[in-house]
Amino acid sequence: MTAPAVVPRRTLRVLGTSITLLELIRRRAESDLGFAISFEVHNFVDCQRRAALEPAAYDIYDQCFHNMDIVWFWGSLQPVDTFRITDWDMLSGLTREGGINRYASRGHGDQPVRKLYVQPGEALGPAPSRYISMLPTVHNFDSFGYDPRVFGAVGPHRESWSWLLDPRARGRIAVVDEPGIGIFDVALAAEAAGEVKFADIGNMTVEEIDSLMRVLHQHRQQGYFRAIWRDGEEAANLVRNGQVAAQSMWSPVYGELGETAQHFVEANPIEGWRAWHGGMSLARHLSGAALDMGYEYMNWWLSGWPGAVVARQGYYMSVLDRVREALSPAEWRYWYEGLPAEVDLPGPSGNIVVKAGARRTGGSYWDRASRIAVWNTAMDEHNYACRAWERFVRQVRGEASS
Amino acid sequence: MNARSPQPPMQKRYELIAGVLRLNITTGKLPAGFVLVEGPIAELMQSSRAPVQAALRILEGENLIHRFAGRGFLVGPKGSGVPPIRQGIRDLDLQISVEIDEALQSRGTWELVYDRVEEQVASCLIFGEFRIVETELGDYLGVSRTVVRDVLSRLHERGLIRKNQSSHWIAGPLTAQMIREKLAVRAILEPAALRLAGAAINYTEVETLRVRLAAGEEIEGEILEAALMEHCIARTPNRELVGLIGNNQLLLTAANRALTGLGLPRDRVEHGEYRTLFDLLSRHLVDSAAEYLEGRLRILAEKSLARLKIVAIITQPSDIAPFLTPK
């Protein structure tokens, strides 16, 4: 008698960014779930373009809530049924309810809760429903990094976003190029510096965008900007080569600075953090067995181990209790509770990224989550802002290369 | 507003084109299964693509042609199951009556080029601000300065271009604010006009549409919107109000067509909304219908803003018309 035929399950194709699509996560997911998984990694802008325009090319879309307005409304995704998410009830209130508690600042712009629930007529909104656009997963509260030798030693709560446009750092400033993120770094800077005033920084008017761009171009003409970076690797190189004194930063980059880490620290800005929230969505074409695989993969992400991996590069996960079980007590106390590291702590790949005695900027998860200034956002005038931003980026790059 | 109004009372171009195609389908010159695509028809009729699109949608609404898996439409009613016939439309030697041929030919020179220019201008708006130089437009079209001015004043009337402080013609940018404001105006004016129309509403047409929608017929949103306007809203006795409503819609319609042309998806839920509207109207519940219409227009504003965000990921095409200079 021959052995029963084993029909191999198809490959689950995940489209996303380098934030979560780590090779060690892919391998572990394959072995835990028993089917092949492929990761396709792009930067934010290319990723959302592919998600919107080529919906048949992927099964899971792993990205951020602030581009739901684009990908969801393009009709490329299908709602996620929360009845099929085993640990849905364990998800943090930050996304499900809009804040970690009633008193935490909600922040301007695209709060994830406003893009979370599928409303009648397929719109997205904050009114709870069984179906959601994206399963909330990885998130963080970002600021900028700076060189304390340039800005001097400061006490708690003295750093300000205005340092991203500060004369002391002139010629040695860089910002991230993704418009839904970079614009808010410089907008927070320009408002903190008293150069512009926004009625709602999360939904700027055309006039406000024009004023912001005028400020940026003035600074550009005076040679303030060294670079506009596209990914963490570029950002790390700018610091390692001593080319920047203040720049936009992403959390994992701090672990990649090597010897220069002591001269480049994360700010805890008095104005608050720029927050973002990632998640996973299902491609519209999924059905039957392929759809089941999608749910298996999403549920696996909430199981604790993946959240522990991303915690080691500074990211938080929507299921806190599960992550706590998967981290060592020392790791949990450093990354989530904001307490001094008791021992040297490893990053995702095992190298030491936190020295014993170090303390996470901004304190605990709950401290940081209570001080959100603005979320990464696709504003109403997103198209107008992006086109203006692209012109600015082109000019800075042109000057940097000439 | 510009005082020049050079439009003589005549059939609209898309109606003329629809007429030619309809005649040739009924007489069998255009056989069942023949694949109708915009480009060659536009060429044959010496027209731009927009009126051809509109004509095809009308014929689809009359169930004379239907969509299929490929590009374009197939002649014949939906579900007829005939195989596609791909052939040049010129080879068919279509019957075009002398009157229609003359009507197509004898339109003012500016009208011959206007649709094409409007299409090109409308599609650049989302990419930012562009300047139009009269002489460059003249060279591009191969027409006199007088014709160029006729075209520009028409674009100006429609709200597609404006003059800046140095008297240059400027197109764009299309902003969320403009869309929000124009849709807010729609939500104020159109339900009011519908209420005033009351007994003057063409209930026979409303009933026909209701029956077709209830039978599950897929009628395109643009057709339904035009029908609601023609048979209901525009029946209001206040002509001034009808004029305001029409003008307010011009830019929205042009921009919407351009966005659809860029490949943006169609609205999947509007069909059901029109079904509700025509249902209420057919029962003479005009107040309820007006209230529903107002709600629908408010939701439409949200959707249109989302639609405008989407286009941020579309890179500016290299084939933007040469008379449009980016600012």
Side-chain angles (χ1 to χ4, degrees), chain A residues 48-49 69 73-74 122 206 284 378-384 387, chain B residues 126-127 173 175-177 180 265 268 308-314:
Chain A
Q48 70 181 13
R49 184 179 291 125
D69 261 352
F73 283 103
W74 205 294
E122 295 195 1
V206 167
R284 177 164 286 274
M379 303 180 282
D380 286 349
E381 298 291 1
H382 183 64
N383 178 53
Y384 184 83
R387 311 264 168 210
Chain B
I126 56 159
F127 298 111
T175 64
Q177 188 184 348
R180 200 187 298 116
R268 286 191 302 265
L308 185 65
K309 286 184 197 183
I310 290 180
V311 301
I313 62 170
I314 298 175

PDB file of all heavy atoms in Angstrom, chain A residues 48-49 69 73-74 122 206 284 378-384 387, chain B residues 126-127 173 175-177 180 265 268 308-314:
ATOM      1  N   GLN A  48       2.491  50.456  -0.212  1.00  0.00           N
ATOM      2  CA  GLN A  48       1.064  50.768  -0.316  1.00  0.00           C
ATOM      3  C   GLN A  48       0.628  50.868  -1.770  1.00  0.00           C
ATOM      4  O   GLN A  48      -0.502  50.528  -2.119  1.00  0.00           O
ATOM      5  CB  GLN A  48       0.687  52.011   0.480  1.00  0.00           C
ATOM      6  CG  GLN A  48       1.188  53.309  -0.070  1.00  0.00           C
ATOM      7  CD  GLN A  48       0.784  54.488   0.813  1.00  0.00           C
ATOM      8  OE1 GLN A  48       0.347  54.310   1.936  1.00  0.00           O
ATOM      9  NE2 GLN A  48       0.942  55.683   0.311  1.00  0.00           N
ATOM     10  N   ARG A  49       1.541  51.288  -2.646  1.00  0.00           N
ATOM     11  CA  ARG A  49       1.198  51.359  -4.064  1.00  0.00           C
ATOM     12  C   ARG A  49       0.928  49.945  -4.585  1.00  0.00           C
ATOM     13  O   ARG A  49      -0.059  49.690  -5.254  1.00  0.00           O
ATOM     14  CB  ARG A  49       2.337  52.022  -4.849  1.00  0.00           C
ATOM     15  CG  ARG A  49       2.003  52.206  -6.319  1.00  0.00           C
ATOM     16  CD  ARG A  49       3.119  52.893  -7.088  1.00  0.00           C
ATOM     17  NE  ARG A  49       3.279  54.275  -6.707  1.00  0.00           N
ATOM     18  CZ  ARG A  49       4.422  54.814  -6.289  1.00  0.00           C
ATOM     19  NH1 ARG A  49       5.508  54.069  -6.181  1.00  0.00           N
ATOM     20  NH2 ARG A  49       4.495  56.085  -5.966  1.00  0.00           N
ATOM     21  N   ASP A  69      -6.677  54.434   4.605  1.00  0.00           N
ATOM     22  CA  ASP A  69      -7.515  55.292   3.775  1.00  0.00           C
ATOM     23  C   ASP A  69      -7.249  55.040   2.299  1.00  0.00           C
ATOM     24  O   ASP A  69      -8.126  55.210   1.465  1.00  0.00           O
ATOM     25  CB  ASP A  69      -7.223  56.770   4.085  1.00  0.00           C
ATOM     26  CG  ASP A  69      -8.273  57.326   5.028  1.00  0.00           C
ATOM     27  OD1 ASP A  69      -9.254  56.618   5.273  1.00  0.00           O
ATOM     28  OD2 ASP A  69      -8.094  58.451   5.509  1.00  0.00           O
ATOM     29  N   PHE A  73      -9.834  51.946   0.677  1.00  0.00           N
ATOM     30  CA  PHE A  73     -10.782  52.560  -0.235  1.00  0.00           C
ATOM     31  C   PHE A  73     -10.517  52.198  -1.685  1.00  0.00           C
ATOM     32  O   PHE A  73     -11.339  52.429  -2.552  1.00  0.00           O
ATOM     33  CB  PHE A  73     -10.840  54.071  -0.029  1.00  0.00           C
ATOM     34  CG  PHE A  73     -11.624  54.427   1.192  1.00  0.00           C
ATOM     35  CD1 PHE A  73     -10.995  54.799   2.363  1.00  0.00           C
ATOM     36  CD2 PHE A  73     -13.003  54.317   1.181  1.00  0.00           C
ATOM     37  CE1 PHE A  73     -11.722  55.093   3.505  1.00  0.00           C
ATOM     38  CE2 PHE A  73     -13.752  54.608   2.316  1.00  0.00           C
ATOM     39  CZ  PHE A  73     -13.109  54.993   3.476  1.00  0.00           C
ATOM     40  N   TRP A  74      -9.345  51.631  -1.931  1.00  0.00           N
ATOM     41  CA  TRP A  74      -9.094  51.164  -3.287  1.00  0.00           C
ATOM     42  C   TRP A  74      -9.807  49.830  -3.501  1.00  0.00           C
ATOM     43  O   TRP A  74      -9.901  49.315  -4.607  1.00  0.00           O
ATOM     44  CB  TRP A  74      -7.582  51.019  -3.534  1.00  0.00           C
ATOM     45  CG  TRP A  74      -7.257  51.128  -4.970  1.00  0.00           C
ATOM     46  CD1 TRP A  74      -7.616  50.251  -5.948  1.00  0.00           C
ATOM     47  CD2 TRP A  74      -6.553  52.179  -5.642  1.00  0.00           C
ATOM     48  NE1 TRP A  74      -7.174  50.686  -7.169  1.00  0.00           N
ATOM     49  CE2 TRP A  74      -6.534  51.863  -7.011  1.00  0.00           C
ATOM     50  CE3 TRP A  74      -5.950  53.354  -5.204  1.00  0.00           C
ATOM     51  CZ2 TRP A  74      -5.911  52.689  -7.957  1.00  0.00           C
ATOM     52  CZ3 TRP A  74      -5.337  54.158  -6.150  1.00  0.00           C
ATOM     53  CH2 TRP A  74      -5.319  53.825  -7.506  1.00  0.00           C
ATOM     54  N   GLU A 122     -19.365  50.190   4.086  1.00  0.00           N
ATOM     55  CA  GLU A 122     -17.946  49.891   3.904  1.00  0.00           C
ATOM     56  C   GLU A 122     -17.001  51.028   4.311  1.00  0.00           C
ATOM     57  O   GLU A 122     -15.811  50.970   4.028  1.00  0.00           O
ATOM     58  CB  GLU A 122     -17.633  49.467   2.458  1.00  0.00           C
ATOM     59  CG  GLU A 122     -18.316  48.164   2.095  1.00  0.00           C
ATOM     60  CD  GLU A 122     -17.766  47.524   0.822  1.00  0.00           C
ATOM     61  OE1 GLU A 122     -16.843  48.096   0.236  1.00  0.00           O
ATOM     62  OE2 GLU A 122     -18.262  46.463   0.437  1.00  0.00           O
ATOM     63  N   VAL A 206      -4.751  73.658   3.179  1.00  0.00           N
ATOM     64  CA  VAL A 206      -3.823  73.967   2.084  1.00  0.00           C
ATOM     65  C   VAL A 206      -2.913  75.136   2.485  1.00  0.00           C
ATOM     66  O   VAL A 206      -1.704  75.103   2.260  1.00  0.00           O
ATOM     67  CB  VAL A 206      -4.622  74.303   0.801  1.00  0.00           C
ATOM     68  CG1 VAL A 206      -3.729  74.932  -0.248  1.00  0.00           C
ATOM     69  CG2 VAL A 206      -5.267  73.041   0.259  1.00  0.00           C
ATOM     70  N   ARG A 284      -8.445  40.969  -0.656  1.00  0.00           N
ATOM     71  CA  ARG A 284      -9.847  40.737  -1.026  1.00  0.00           C
ATOM     72  C   ARG A 284     -10.048  39.377  -1.692  1.00  0.00           C
ATOM     73  O   ARG A 284     -11.076  38.741  -1.539  1.00  0.00           O
ATOM     74  CB  ARG A 284     -10.324  41.856  -1.957  1.00  0.00           C
ATOM     75  CG  ARG A 284     -11.747  41.683  -2.456  1.00  0.00           C
ATOM     76  CD  ARG A 284     -12.300  42.962  -3.030  1.00  0.00           C
ATOM     77  NE  ARG A 284     -12.635  43.912  -1.995  1.00  0.00           N
ATOM     78  CZ  ARG A 284     -13.799  43.951  -1.335  1.00  0.00           C
ATOM     79  NH1 ARG A 284     -14.733  43.077  -1.624  1.00  0.00           N
ATOM     80  NH2 ARG A 284     -14.026  44.853  -0.420  1.00  0.00           N
ATOM     81  N   ALA A 378      -2.688  60.073   6.934  1.00  0.00           N
ATOM     82  CA  ALA A 378      -2.983  60.518   5.568  1.00  0.00           C
ATOM     83  C   ALA A 378      -4.098  61.550   5.711  1.00  0.00           C
ATOM     84  O   ALA A 378      -5.257  61.220   5.861  1.00  0.00           O
ATOM     85  CB  ALA A 378      -3.432  59.343   4.703  1.00  0.00           C
ATOM     86  N   MET A 379      -3.712  62.835   5.695  1.00  0.00           N
ATOM     87  CA  MET A 379      -4.680  63.919   5.940  1.00  0.00           C
ATOM     88  C   MET A 379      -5.639  64.050   4.756  1.00  0.00           C
ATOM     89  O   MET A 379      -5.397  63.501   3.685  1.00  0.00           O
ATOM     90  CB  MET A 379      -3.934  65.246   6.078  1.00  0.00           C
ATOM     91  CG  MET A 379      -2.887  65.268   7.154  1.00  0.00           C
ATOM     92  SD  MET A 379      -2.060  66.885   7.236  1.00  0.00           S
ATOM     93  CE  MET A 379      -0.931  66.803   5.854  1.00  0.00           C
ATOM     94  N   ASP A 380      -6.702  64.861   4.936  1.00  0.00           N
ATOM     95  CA  ASP A 380      -7.596  65.120   3.800  1.00  0.00           C
ATOM     96  C   ASP A 380      -6.796  65.656   2.615  1.00  0.00           C
ATOM     97  O   ASP A 380      -7.005  65.270   1.479  1.00  0.00           O
ATOM     98  CB  ASP A 380      -8.670  66.150   4.191  1.00  0.00           C
ATOM     99  CG  ASP A 380      -9.732  65.534   5.098  1.00  0.00           C
ATOM    100  OD1 ASP A 380      -9.735  64.291   5.235  1.00  0.00           O
ATOM    101  OD2 ASP A 380     -10.527  66.290   5.676  1.00  0.00           O
ATOM    102  N   GLU A 381      -5.865  66.559   2.892  1.00  0.00           N
ATOM    103  CA  GLU A 381      -5.067  67.146   1.806  1.00  0.00           C
ATOM    104  C   GLU A 381      -3.801  66.316   1.553  1.00  0.00           C
ATOM    105  O   GLU A 381      -2.767  66.845   1.147  1.00  0.00           O
ATOM    106  CB  GLU A 381      -4.691  68.600   2.137  1.00  0.00           C
ATOM    107  CG  GLU A 381      -5.869  69.548   2.302  1.00  0.00           C
ATOM    108  CD  GLU A 381      -6.618  69.842   0.996  1.00  0.00           C
ATOM    109  OE1 GLU A 381      -6.253  69.313  -0.068  1.00  0.00           O
ATOM    110  OE2 GLU A 381      -7.603  70.612   1.072  1.00  0.00           O
ATOM    111  N   HIS A 382      -3.894  65.021   1.796  1.00  0.00           N
ATOM    112  CA  HIS A 382      -2.740  64.134   1.645  1.00  0.00           C
ATOM    113  C   HIS A 382      -2.079  64.265   0.264  1.00  0.00           C
ATOM    114  O   HIS A 382      -0.862  64.403   0.146  1.00  0.00           O
ATOM    115  CB  HIS A 382      -3.192  62.690   1.866  1.00  0.00           C
ATOM    116  CG  HIS A 382      -2.099  61.677   1.818  1.00  0.00           C
ATOM    117  ND1 HIS A 382      -1.074  61.644   2.727  1.00  0.00           N
ATOM    118  CD2 HIS A 382      -1.846  60.650   0.952  1.00  0.00           C
ATOM    119  CE1 HIS A 382      -0.255  60.643   2.436  1.00  0.00           C
ATOM    120  NE2 HIS A 382      -0.705  60.025   1.363  1.00  0.00           N
ATOM    121  N   ASN A 383      -2.909  64.251  -0.779  1.00  0.00           N
ATOM    122  CA  ASN A 383      -2.361  64.328  -2.130  1.00  0.00           C
ATOM    123  C   ASN A 383      -1.601  65.645  -2.323  1.00  0.00           C
ATOM    124  O   ASN A 383      -0.470  65.656  -2.808  1.00  0.00           O
ATOM    125  CB  ASN A 383      -3.494  64.197  -3.157  1.00  0.00           C
ATOM    126  CG  ASN A 383      -2.996  64.320  -4.580  1.00  0.00           C
ATOM    127  OD1 ASN A 383      -2.073  63.625  -5.000  1.00  0.00           O
ATOM    128  ND2 ASN A 383      -3.596  65.222  -5.338  1.00  0.00           N
ATOM    129  N   TYR A 384      -2.215  66.726  -1.894  1.00  0.00           N
ATOM    130  CA  TYR A 384      -1.574  68.052  -2.037  1.00  0.00           C
ATOM    131  C   TYR A 384      -0.265  68.085  -1.247  1.00  0.00           C
ATOM    132  O   TYR A 384       0.767  68.534  -1.742  1.00  0.00           O
ATOM    133  CB  TYR A 384      -2.547  69.121  -1.532  1.00  0.00           C
ATOM    134  CG  TYR A 384      -2.043  70.531  -1.711  1.00  0.00           C
ATOM    135  CD1 TYR A 384      -2.204  71.179  -2.932  1.00  0.00           C
ATOM    136  CD2 TYR A 384      -1.398  71.212  -0.679  1.00  0.00           C
ATOM    137  CE1 TYR A 384      -1.739  72.464  -3.118  1.00  0.00           C
ATOM    138  CE2 TYR A 384      -0.930  72.504  -0.854  1.00  0.00           C
ATOM    139  CZ  TYR A 384      -1.100  73.127  -2.071  1.00  0.00           C
ATOM    140  OH  TYR A 384      -0.634  74.401  -2.247  1.00  0.00           O
ATOM    141  N   ARG A 387       2.564  65.922  -2.851  1.00  0.00           N
ATOM    142  CA  ARG A 387       3.185  66.532  -4.045  1.00  0.00           C
ATOM    143  C   ARG A 387       4.140  67.643  -3.615  1.00  0.00           C
ATOM    144  O   ARG A 387       5.218  67.781  -4.165  1.00  0.00           O
ATOM    145  CB  ARG A 387       2.135  67.075  -5.002  1.00  0.00           C
ATOM    146  CG  ARG A 387       1.021  66.097  -5.318  1.00  0.00           C
ATOM    147  CD  ARG A 387       1.246  65.338  -6.609  1.00  0.00           C
ATOM    148  NE  ARG A 387       0.286  64.224  -6.687  1.00  0.00           N
ATOM    149  CZ  ARG A 387       0.516  63.075  -7.303  1.00  0.00           C
ATOM    150  NH1 ARG A 387       1.676  62.861  -7.891  1.00  0.00           N
ATOM    151  NH2 ARG A 387      -0.386  62.125  -7.323  1.00  0.00           N
TER     152      ARG A 387
ATOM    153  N   ILE B 126      -4.978  66.869 -10.282  1.00  0.00           N
ATOM    154  CA  ILE B 126      -4.546  66.227  -9.042  1.00  0.00           C
ATOM    155  C   ILE B 126      -3.032  66.272  -8.881  1.00  0.00           C
ATOM    156  O   ILE B 126      -2.518  66.016  -7.810  1.00  0.00           O
ATOM    157  CB  ILE B 126      -5.009  64.757  -8.969  1.00  0.00           C
ATOM    158  CG1 ILE B 126      -4.513  63.998 -10.184  1.00  0.00           C
ATOM    159  CG2 ILE B 126      -6.499  64.661  -8.824  1.00  0.00           C
ATOM    160  CD1 ILE B 126      -4.485  62.523  -9.958  1.00  0.00           C
ATOM    161  N   PHE B 127      -2.309  66.585  -9.950  1.00  0.00           N
ATOM    162  CA  PHE B 127      -0.847  66.567  -9.857  1.00  0.00           C
ATOM    163  C   PHE B 127      -0.272  67.914  -9.443  1.00  0.00           C
ATOM    164  O   PHE B 127       0.921  68.045  -9.283  1.00  0.00           O
ATOM    165  CB  PHE B 127      -0.232  66.095 -11.176  1.00  0.00           C
ATOM    166  CG  PHE B 127      -0.640  64.693 -11.524  1.00  0.00           C
ATOM    167  CD1 PHE B 127      -1.476  64.436 -12.602  1.00  0.00           C
ATOM    168  CD2 PHE B 127      -0.224  63.630 -10.743  1.00  0.00           C
ATOM    169  CE1 PHE B 127      -1.869  63.139 -12.904  1.00  0.00           C
ATOM    170  CE2 PHE B 127      -0.613  62.331 -11.038  1.00  0.00           C
ATOM    171  CZ  PHE B 127      -1.429  62.078 -12.116  1.00  0.00           C
ATOM    172  N   PRO B 173      -4.307  73.456  -8.232  1.00  0.00           N
ATOM    173  CA  PRO B 173      -4.492  72.042  -7.900  1.00  0.00           C
ATOM    174  C   PRO B 173      -5.901  71.762  -7.369  1.00  0.00           C
ATOM    175  O   PRO B 173      -6.556  72.653  -6.841  1.00  0.00           O
ATOM    176  CB  PRO B 173      -3.466  71.835  -6.784  1.00  0.00           C
ATOM    177  CG  PRO B 173      -3.398  73.165  -6.093  1.00  0.00           C
ATOM    178  CD  PRO B 173      -3.643  74.207  -7.142  1.00  0.00           C
ATOM    179  N   THR B 175      -8.014  70.393  -4.631  1.00  0.00           N
ATOM    180  CA  THR B 175      -7.760  70.131  -3.208  1.00  0.00           C
ATOM    181  C   THR B 175      -8.972  69.510  -2.527  1.00  0.00           C
ATOM    182  O   THR B 175     -10.092  69.582  -3.041  1.00  0.00           O
ATOM    183  CB  THR B 175      -7.432  71.446  -2.468  1.00  0.00           C
ATOM    184  OG1 THR B 175      -8.587  72.279  -2.531  1.00  0.00           O
ATOM    185  CG2 THR B 175      -6.250  72.152  -3.085  1.00  0.00           C
ATOM    186  N   ALA B 176      -8.724  68.925  -1.380  1.00  0.00           N
ATOM    187  CA  ALA B 176      -9.800  68.341  -0.579  1.00  0.00           C
ATOM    188  C   ALA B 176     -10.805  69.425  -0.190  1.00  0.00           C
ATOM    189  O   ALA B 176     -12.008  69.190  -0.141  1.00  0.00           O
ATOM    190  CB  ALA B 176      -9.220  67.680   0.665  1.00  0.00           C
ATOM    191  N   GLN B 177     -10.278  70.612   0.066  1.00  0.00           N
ATOM    192  CA  GLN B 177     -11.156  71.719   0.464  1.00  0.00           C
ATOM    193  C   GLN B 177     -12.184  72.031  -0.628  1.00  0.00           C
ATOM    194  O   GLN B 177     -13.369  72.209  -0.343  1.00  0.00           O
ATOM    195  CB  GLN B 177     -10.290  72.948   0.745  1.00  0.00           C
ATOM    196  CG  GLN B 177     -11.078  74.092   1.345  1.00  0.00           C
ATOM    197  CD  GLN B 177     -10.215  75.327   1.526  1.00  0.00           C
ATOM    198  OE1 GLN B 177      -8.990  75.257   1.410  1.00  0.00           O
ATOM    199  NE2 GLN B 177     -10.847  76.437   1.792  1.00  0.00           N
ATOM    200  N   ARG B 180     -14.735  69.244  -0.713  1.00  0.00           N
ATOM    201  CA  ARG B 180     -15.601  69.302   0.464  1.00  0.00           C
ATOM    202  C   ARG B 180     -16.624  70.416   0.302  1.00  0.00           C
ATOM    203  O   ARG B 180     -17.821  70.240   0.557  1.00  0.00           O
ATOM    204  CB  ARG B 180     -14.745  69.536   1.708  1.00  0.00           C
ATOM    205  CG  ARG B 180     -15.425  69.138   2.995  1.00  0.00           C
ATOM    206  CD  ARG B 180     -14.628  69.531   4.216  1.00  0.00           C
ATOM    207  NE  ARG B 180     -13.330  68.907   4.310  1.00  0.00           N
ATOM    208  CZ  ARG B 180     -12.158  69.573   4.270  1.00  0.00           C
ATOM    209  NH1 ARG B 180     -12.135  70.880   4.131  1.00  0.00           N
ATOM    210  NH2 ARG B 180     -11.025  68.928   4.388  1.00  0.00           N
ATOM    211  N   PRO B 265     -11.069  52.663  -8.485  1.00  0.00           N
ATOM    212  CA  PRO B 265     -12.188  51.734  -8.487  1.00  0.00           C
ATOM    213  C   PRO B 265     -13.530  52.456  -8.422  1.00  0.00           C
ATOM    214  O   PRO B 265     -13.608  53.584  -7.935  1.00  0.00           O
ATOM    215  CB  PRO B 265     -11.969  50.933  -7.204  1.00  0.00           C
ATOM    216  CG  PRO B 265     -11.178  51.828  -6.335  1.00  0.00           C
ATOM    217  CD  PRO B 265     -10.326  52.663  -7.228  1.00  0.00           C
ATOM    218  N   ARG B 268     -18.919  50.680  -4.914  1.00  0.00           N
ATOM    219  CA  ARG B 268     -19.679  49.425  -4.939  1.00  0.00           C
ATOM    220  C   ARG B 268     -21.031  49.521  -4.248  1.00  0.00           C
ATOM    221  O   ARG B 268     -21.849  48.633  -4.363  1.00  0.00           O
ATOM    222  CB  ARG B 268     -18.867  48.300  -4.277  1.00  0.00           C
ATOM    223  CG  ARG B 268     -17.737  47.801  -5.129  1.00  0.00           C
ATOM    224  CD  ARG B 268     -17.172  46.525  -4.512  1.00  0.00           C
ATOM    225  NE  ARG B 268     -16.724  46.775  -3.150  1.00  0.00           N
ATOM    226  CZ  ARG B 268     -15.472  47.065  -2.827  1.00  0.00           C
ATOM    227  NH1 ARG B 268     -14.560  47.114  -3.749  1.00  0.00           N
ATOM    228  NH2 ARG B 268     -15.117  47.311  -1.580  1.00  0.00           N
ATOM    229  N   LEU B 308      -9.597  61.107  -3.170  1.00  0.00           N
ATOM    230  CA  LEU B 308      -8.546  62.065  -3.509  1.00  0.00           C
ATOM    231  C   LEU B 308      -7.227  61.710  -2.818  1.00  0.00           C
ATOM    232  O   LEU B 308      -6.148  61.967  -3.351  1.00  0.00           O
ATOM    233  CB  LEU B 308      -8.989  63.479  -3.122  1.00  0.00           C
ATOM    234  CG  LEU B 308      -8.030  64.599  -3.524  1.00  0.00           C
ATOM    235  CD1 LEU B 308      -7.931  64.711  -5.044  1.00  0.00           C
ATOM    236  CD2 LEU B 308      -8.454  65.943  -2.953  1.00  0.00           C
ATOM    237  N   LYS B 309      -7.316  61.117  -1.629  1.00  0.00           N
ATOM    238  CA  LYS B 309      -6.085  60.696  -0.937  1.00  0.00           C
ATOM    239  C   LYS B 309      -5.371  59.608  -1.732  1.00  0.00           C
ATOM    240  O   LYS B 309      -4.158  59.564  -1.802  1.00  0.00           O
ATOM    241  CB  LYS B 309      -6.409  60.128   0.438  1.00  0.00           C
ATOM    242  CG  LYS B 309      -6.787  61.151   1.468  1.00  0.00           C
ATOM    243  CD  LYS B 309      -6.990  60.470   2.806  1.00  0.00           C
ATOM    244  CE  LYS B 309      -7.765  61.381   3.738  1.00  0.00           C
ATOM    245  NZ  LYS B 309      -7.916  60.799   5.059  1.00  0.00           N
ATOM    246  N   ILE B 310      -6.194  58.715  -2.290  1.00  0.00           N
ATOM    247  CA  ILE B 310      -5.658  57.586  -3.034  1.00  0.00           C
ATOM    248  C   ILE B 310      -4.678  58.035  -4.113  1.00  0.00           C
ATOM    249  O   ILE B 310      -3.656  57.415  -4.327  1.00  0.00           O
ATOM    250  CB  ILE B 310      -6.807  56.798  -3.715  1.00  0.00           C
ATOM    251  CG1 ILE B 310      -7.655  56.071  -2.678  1.00  0.00           C
ATOM    252  CG2 ILE B 310      -6.265  55.836  -4.721  1.00  0.00           C
ATOM    253  CD1 ILE B 310      -8.789  55.285  -3.290  1.00  0.00           C
ATOM    254  N   VAL B 311      -5.022  59.128  -4.802  1.00  0.00           N
ATOM    255  CA  VAL B 311      -4.238  59.483  -5.984  1.00  0.00           C
ATOM    256  C   VAL B 311      -2.823  59.915  -5.637  1.00  0.00           C
ATOM    257  O   VAL B 311      -1.981  60.044  -6.515  1.00  0.00           O
ATOM    258  CB  VAL B 311      -4.921  60.578  -6.840  1.00  0.00           C
ATOM    259  CG1 VAL B 311      -6.271  60.115  -7.298  1.00  0.00           C
ATOM    260  CG2 VAL B 311      -5.018  61.883  -6.085  1.00  0.00           C
ATOM    261  N   ALA B 312      -2.545  60.109  -4.334  1.00  0.00           N
ATOM    262  CA  ALA B 312      -1.188  60.491  -3.939  1.00  0.00           C
ATOM    263  C   ALA B 312      -0.171  59.444  -4.378  1.00  0.00           C
ATOM    264  O   ALA B 312       0.996  59.749  -4.563  1.00  0.00           O
ATOM    265  CB  ALA B 312      -1.119  60.690  -2.425  1.00  0.00           C
ATOM    266  N   ILE B 313      -0.607  58.197  -4.540  1.00  0.00           N
ATOM    267  CA  ILE B 313       0.359  57.166  -4.915  1.00  0.00           C
ATOM    268  C   ILE B 313       0.554  57.066  -6.427  1.00  0.00           C
ATOM    269  O   ILE B 313       1.373  56.304  -6.893  1.00  0.00           O
ATOM    270  CB  ILE B 313      -0.014  55.778  -4.356  1.00  0.00           C
ATOM    271  CG1 ILE B 313      -1.352  55.303  -4.904  1.00  0.00           C
ATOM    272  CG2 ILE B 313      -0.018  55.771  -2.838  1.00  0.00           C
ATOM    273  CD1 ILE B 313      -1.628  53.844  -4.550  1.00  0.00           C
ATOM    274  N   ILE B 314      -0.226  57.838  -7.180  1.00  0.00           N
ATOM    275  CA  ILE B 314      -0.070  57.784  -8.639  1.00  0.00           C
ATOM    276  C   ILE B 314       1.012  58.781  -9.058  1.00  0.00           C
ATOM    277  O   ILE B 314       0.929  59.951  -8.741  1.00  0.00           O
ATOM    278  CB  ILE B 314      -1.398  58.117  -9.350  1.00  0.00           C
ATOM    279  CG1 ILE B 314      -2.455  57.076  -8.958  1.00  0.00           C
ATOM    280  CG2 ILE B 314      -1.209  58.162 -10.856  1.00  0.00           C
ATOM    281  CD1 ILE B 314      -3.818  57.366  -9.500  1.00  0.00           C
TER     282      ILE B 314
END
